[in-house]
Amino acid sequence: SPFSFTQYQKVQYMDGDVMPLRNMDCLFQLNYNSFTVGAASPLNSGWFLAIPNATDFEYMREKSIWRLERDWDSVNGWAESFPQDKLYYRGNRKAVDKWEFNGADMDQ
């Protein structure tokens, strides 16, 4: 996971089918974990900037293990409330308000 690469200050992750057409160094100036919003799902972005942090990585790892013992549903996800007003589709389309997008049961 890029979040565990604490030897780096920031890590840009790109899917193998992403082809940058310009230098992306300016994105390293962002001071928070960032991602592009995918067309099919808010978390299917193809690119994100991670700021590695051992504490955050451990929290995500523990959450991944914890969720293996839980049942998932589209209202409550993995027993996590949906982050209101946080996730949008490209082009400022309707905000996502339920765990119903492609891969939600795996990406949360």
Side-chain angles (χ1 to χ4, degrees):
S1 165
F3 295 97
S4 68
F5 298 157
T6 55
Q7 67 270 35
Y8 302 105
Q9 290 181 348
K10 297 176 184 174
V11 176
Q12 288 192 55
Y13 173 88
M14 287 179 271
D15 283 354
D17 60 351
V18 172
M19 168 117 28
L21 299 176
R22 295 191 173 122
N23 186 309
M24 297 176 63
D25 287 354
C26 63
L27 297 172
F28 282 116
Q29 295 176 18
L30 296 170
N31 291 320
Y32 43 86
N33 294 308
S34 306
F35 60 93
T36 57
V37 179
S41 132
L43 300 177
N44 182 17
S45 68
W47 171 89
F48 67 86
L49 174 76
I51 299 177
N53 177 300
T55 303
D56 292 345
F57 173 72
E58 187 60 29
Y59 173 79
M60 288 186 285
R61 190 183 73 74
E62 288 175 8
K63 273 290 201 194
S64 297
I65 293 167
W66 171 86
R67 84 173 195 176
L68 293 173
E69 300 172 1
R70 304 294 188 271
D71 291 325
W72 183 88
D73 70 65
S74 63
V75 175
N76 298 310
W78 295 104
E80 292 285 332
S81 55
F82 197 85
Q84 296 301 313
D85 301 322
K86 300 286 184 191
L87 301 176
Y88 295 88
Y89 285 103
R90 283 186 185 157
N92 257 348
R93 290 187 289 160
K94 179 182 172 279
V96 178
D97 59 3
K98 296 181 184 148
W99 295 115
E100 294 181 330
F101 51 84
N102 179 38
D105 58 330
M106 299 173 9
D107 290 335
Q108 195 179 132

